[in-house]
Amino acid sequence: MENIIAYYYNLNPEKYKENGDVIIIESHGELYIARIIKDKDVFTKIVSSINSSFFYKPILNRTNGYFFEYNNQTYALFKAINPAVPRYDDFIIIESIESTEINYSSIWEHNIEYFIKQLTSLDFSNTEEITNINYYIGLAENAITMNELANKLTINARKCLSHYRIKYPNYNLTYNDPTELLIDYISRDIAEYTKSKFFLEGMSVEEFMKLINKYKLNDKELLYVFARLLYPNYYFDLLSEKNTDKQQKIIEKRKKYEKFLSNIFEQIKTTTLYVNISWLK
């Protein structure tokens, strides 16, 4: 690795650590991150959208390109500036002119079909696990209904640079990482941040209302947020990982999360948007 970085970037790695698809490199008191690039065309498109100094920019190599090869994988290298600085809900809104519609109803329906098939392989004596999976499949179906309501609205929802997964606590290191970016509706980061914070330490309705008011969401964007809040990717991810301990922690907060959603919907009803999900009343 030292020779590759020295050759491509004229840097002298004093320390480096490999962790999955990430290589952390220290050189001359600076921190650099090398990340695996799965789709070079998509990455190049995203990087061309970064027209500000907020997100980390890839460092050009000796041939003025973004990529280098290591262990039969393609990587890009960028300098991590102030990686430990927390961002919380301070999101960077860089709008995109991307015209392609994103059909999450179809994606989520496909995921539901997958988990329904998983049910058939379970030991039917484990009624608790079956009940839990059915519950979260029901949430996903509600999310699709909400998403379809949003799709029918004729107003536009803003698309911007978003993240595959945004986590709480939210730090510069991951938030500013361009390999984590994609183009999606503004609702994505807001909803995923809300879910992550809620299940880690809790989130008040007042805090959530302040968040959506901060970014001036219109009715369509609000419905997309609600659809994502209903969609239980946090549970499905753990189910796929077979992480039963974390699953149980999520399940234990189920009623509190229902109450959180119910209170949010009541708040919105008093403003501009009526949301009707009978079982949350």
Side-chain angles (χ1 to χ4, degrees), residues 1-3 5-6 11-16 25-28:
M1 169 54 67
E2 297 98 323
N3 292 337
I5 296 299
L11 290 173
N12 179 29
E14 296 149 9
K15 296 180 184 177
Y16 77 91
I25 301 164
E26 292 183 37
S27 178
H28 302 294

Side-chain angles (χ1 to χ4, degrees), residues 15-241:
K15 296 180 184 177
Y16 77 91
K17 179 181 179 181
E18 298 186 33
N19 184 11
D21 64 351
V22 182
I23 303 174
I24 302 171
I25 301 164
E26 292 183 37
S27 178
H28 302 294
E30 302 282 2
L31 185 70
Y32 297 86
I33 307 293
R35 292 291 306 267
I36 290 177
I37 306 301
K38 296 176 182 178
D39 190 319
K40 293 195 286 188
D41 290 337
V42 170
F43 179 78
T44 302
K45 181 179 179 180
I46 291 295
V47 168
S48 67
S49 301
I50 303 175
N51 54 5
S52 69
S53 60
F54 296 114
F55 296 109
Y56 300 154
K57 293 183 178 179
I59 299 172
L60 291 174
N61 60 32
R62 66 196 299 269
T63 61
N64 288 321
Y66 291 133
F67 311 112
F68 69 92
E69 301 296 322
Y70 174 64
N71 283 348
N72 298 317
Q73 299 276 12
T74 299
Y75 284 81
L77 180 74
F78 53 92
K79 183 187 291 187
I81 302 169
N82 297 324
V85 172
R87 298 200 62 88
Y88 301 109
D89 62 357
D90 182 20
F91 303 143
I92 300 165
I93 306 300
I94 298 179
E95 292 191 40
S96 170
I97 59 173
E98 177 67 48
S99 60
T100 304
E101 292 302 315
I102 306 167
N103 188 353
Y104 281 107
S105 294
S106 177
I107 295 170
W108 294 343
E109 283 172 356
H110 175 77
N111 292 344
I112 287 173
E113 290 175 4
Y114 170 79
F115 286 109
I116 288 175
K117 288 179 181 177
Q118 297 305 300
L119 279 174
T120 63
S121 65
L122 290 176
D123 179 357
F124 279 87
S125 65
N126 192 345
T127 56
E128 183 179 359
E129 184 175 12
I130 292 171
T131 299
N132 288 332
I133 294 175
N134 275 324
Y135 171 83
Y136 288 106
I137 286 174
L139 274 187
E141 290 170 341
N142 284 167
I144 291 170
T145 299
M146 187 73 71
N147 196 70
E148 286 302 297
L149 287 175
N151 288 342
K152 291 175 182 177
L153 294 184
T154 57
I155 56 177
N156 291 325
R158 286 168 289 175
K159 291 179 184 173
C160 60
L161 289 179
S162 306
H163 296 76
Y164 286 100
R165 281 285 193 274
I166 192 168
K167 298 290 187 180
Y168 178 87
N170 181 25
Y171 293 99
N172 272 353
L173 179 63
T174 51
Y175 188 86
N176 291 347
D177 178 354
T179 66
E180 289 293 320
L181 297 176
L182 76 166
I183 296 170
D184 204 335
Y185 295 117
I186 191 173
S187 56
R188 185 185 185 106
D189 280 2
I190 292 172
E192 295 305 325
Y193 176 86
T194 298
K195 287 187 285 189
S196 180
K197 187 174 190 299
F198 181 91
F199 285 108
L200 185 67
E201 67 174 36
M203 186 176 192
S204 69
V205 174
E206 292 73 24
E207 185 179 356
F208 174 78
M209 296 302 295
K210 183 178 178 181
L211 180 60
I212 62 175
N213 289 331
K214 179 179 179 180
Y215 296 104
K216 298 180 173 60
L217 302 188
N218 63 36
D219 284 359
K220 188 166 190 169
E221 291 165 346
L222 277 173
L223 284 174
Y224 281 145
V225 168
F226 294 154
R228 280 196 166 274
L229 290 179
L230 283 164
Y231 187 74
N233 55 317
Y234 51 86
Y235 176 80
F236 289 154
D237 287 349
L238 297 175
L239 195 63
S240 298
E241 295 168 11

Side-chain angles (χ1 to χ4, degrees), residues 219-276:
D219 284 359
K220 188 166 190 169
E221 291 165 346
L222 277 173
L223 284 174
Y224 281 145
V225 168
F226 294 154
R228 280 196 166 274
L229 290 179
L230 283 164
Y231 187 74
N233 55 317
Y234 51 86
Y235 176 80
F236 289 154
D237 287 349
L238 297 175
L239 195 63
S240 298
E241 295 168 11
K242 302 186 185 305
N243 192 327
T244 54
D245 289 339
K246 287 188 176 180
Q247 282 178 45
Q248 189 58 39
K249 290 178 181 178
I250 291 291
I251 293 166
E252 288 170 359
K253 295 182 178 179
R254 191 177 81 184
K255 292 297 182 183
K256 287 184 178 179
Y257 190 59
E258 287 180 10
K259 184 65 174 175
F260 175 68
L261 293 178
S262 178
N263 289 339
I264 286 173
F265 295 159
E266 285 300 313
Q267 285 283 324
I268 296 302
K269 278 170 61 176
T270 64
T271 56
T272 62
L273 188 65
Y274 178 72
V275 177
N276 181 26

